[in-house]
Amino acid sequence: MTKILLITVGGSHQPVVTSVQSLNPDRTIFICSNGRRGSISQVTGEGRPCEVRRGSEVLEELPNIPTQINLGDKFNPETDVIALDNPDDVSSIYLKISDCIHTLKQTDPKATLLADYTGGTKSMSVALALAALDEECELHLTTASRTDLIRITRGETVRRAATSDLTVRRLLTQEIPTLLAQYNYPAAIAELEACLRDLAISDPQPVEDYLRLCKGLNHWDCFDHEEAWYDLEPFMNQAPLRPLLLYLKRVMGSRQAIAPAMNTAFNAPDQIPGHGYELVEDLLFNAERRAALDRYDDAVGRLYRALELLAQTHLWLRYQVKTGDVDVEQIPLALRDQVQALKSRDGKIQLALRNSYELLKQWPTDPLGAIYQPAAERLFDQLQVRNHSILAHGLRPVTATDYKQRFQAVIIPFIEAGLKAIIGNQSRFDPVQFPTPITINKYNA
């Protein structure tokens, strides 16, 4: 496997020579200050540009660094030098080094990239170290006993810099918060797993905790409430997460209550009795998270399901009517002929979304039926966005405008009004969206 070293060059050539000889890369890229007095002369200068000094006294003059270490054909001055016009501009140096690393990764994806930040100005060292950390290069440092405060002279050794804990801190305080703010749990899980797999960490517990948290939220995001609970339950005693986990228990209670109406089984590992419509609220929050990721087709699909589930849940909890297999004995006598007309070839009476709401409005005192009747035409007009989408019956993608001006403006308010009309003052708890900033232990992500 090819090994490529990026190294900053300063006033002394010796640490650079030691580093290259010790690390023995297949290719070396020198980062130098430009100009007549710049360190670039130590790399490309003719004659004997490298000096060994004691104070102002020149003890020895030597050829340029590539010649000293016999790089020969392994060094190309056109491609293996990053010349810096301003060696004190951290930003421009960082960008040049990052661009170089990106090019190296594209031309040789399997290469091992090393970085030694010993030489050069402080800005050069900082820029190389930052770029190496960001691009996941091995970071090295050439050290020796100092005889003065000016520079390392002789007797140098090269060691790998311990950066794992710094990488962890940056991951947990910079990268993971960004992914949590986007509700992008798969990406967060991938980053945390890579951190545990690839780095030797002195204290892996915070990373493991965040990994478990993100896995739990991802399970919940995929409606796997049971697995979500097993992952998240250990965080119950952490104050910022407790309201969310109490809400998960109510969601699971709601799901267990509606399961018989769907002819499915769900045994909640834990639950708290609620108003029974928490699963509908859960779908609304899920749609909000999809929209935050600009996945509007997914968001619309979830809102359509929430609208349908609202009617299904209400028919079951209030009237014991299963929309997938209606028992006409549960229907008021005056409505039975109308419902019987919906019987399919297999003898089952099944209610689609519109049929469910049309049935509800036949009960004169039903709160959901009452708010549906004046809203029906506008409601189903907006649902054409979903029907024409590629995830339903058409090929048209749902745009941000479709979502915001039609679903957010019509469908969501209808569902929220329906919940308010049904639940009234039954709920003692507010529903909880997934938090975006999350604190575990000493880290705030």
Side-chain angles (χ1 to χ4, degrees), residues 200-213:
I201 308 170
S202 61
D203 180 15
Q205 191 62 53
V207 181
E208 292 172 348
D209 286 345
Y210 273 108
L211 178 59
R212 183 165 191 165
L213 173 70

Side-chain angles (χ1 to χ4, degrees), residues 57-85:
E57 181 184 1
V58 178
L59 301 178
E60 188 177 8
E61 294 181 342
L62 298 168
N64 64 40
I65 295 170
T67 301
Q68 289 185 50
I69 52 183
N70 299 314
L71 289 184
D73 293 339
K74 294 172 67 175
F75 173 68
N76 182 345
E78 299 297 323
T79 59
D80 295 345
V81 175
I82 298 176
L84 307 172
D85 293 328

Side-chain angles (χ1 to χ4, degrees), residues 3-177:
K3 187 162 58 173
I4 303 173
L5 171 65
L6 292 94
I7 187 166
T8 48
V9 182
S12 173
H13 67 277
Q14 189 59 48
V16 180
V17 170
T18 300
S19 179
V20 176
Q21 289 176 333
S22 175
L23 295 172
N24 191 28
D26 300 287
R27 180 183 175 189
T28 303
I29 295 176
F30 300 94
I31 304 165
C32 314
S33 54
N34 212 346
R36 187 171 61 86
R37 294 188 177 185
S39 60
I40 192 170
S41 65
Q42 297 189 59
V43 179
T44 61
E46 297 179 354
R48 293 177 174 269
C50 297
E51 298 176 341
V52 178
R53 289 177 170 268
R54 182 170 57 203
S56 60
E57 181 184 1
V58 178
L59 301 178
E60 188 177 8
E61 294 181 342
L62 298 168
N64 64 40
I65 295 170
T67 301
Q68 289 185 50
I69 52 183
N70 299 314
L71 289 184
D73 293 339
K74 294 172 67 175
F75 173 68
N76 182 345
E78 299 297 323
T79 59
D80 295 345
V81 175
I82 298 176
L84 307 172
D85 293 328
N86 185 351
D88 295 311
D89 185 347
V90 174
S91 295
S92 66
I93 301 169
Y94 173 89
L95 291 174
K96 281 192 173 185
I97 295 172
S98 293
D99 289 344
C100 177
I101 293 173
H102 289 161
T103 300
L104 294 173
K105 286 184 173 182
Q106 289 174 355
T107 55
D108 194 351
K110 295 183 179 180
T112 298
L113 301 183
L114 316 177
D116 188 323
Y117 60 97
T118 304
T121 64
K122 294 181 177 65
S123 297
M124 290 164 62
S125 296
V126 167
L128 176 58
L130 285 173
L133 287 170
D134 287 343
E135 302 298 335
E136 299 179 343
C137 305
E138 289 185 14
L139 200 56
H140 293 263
L141 180 66
T142 303
T143 61
S145 298
R146 292 178 181 267
T147 57
D148 54 45
L149 299 179
I150 306 300
R151 59 172 66 88
I152 290 172
T153 54
R154 293 184 180 274
E156 300 92 345
T157 57
V158 180
R159 63 177 173 84
R160 184 166 179 178
T163 60
S164 294
D165 290 341
L166 174 59
T167 301
V168 169
R169 179 176 288 275
R170 294 182 77 192
L171 173 67
L172 297 185
T173 60
Q174 298 178 34
E175 298 174 36
I176 297 301

Side-chain angles (χ1 to χ4, degrees), residues 9 23 75 186 190 219 257 328 345 367 379 405:
V9 182
L23 295 172
F75 173 68
H219 282 307
V328 292
R345 292 180 179 179
L379 195 66
Q405 294 186 1

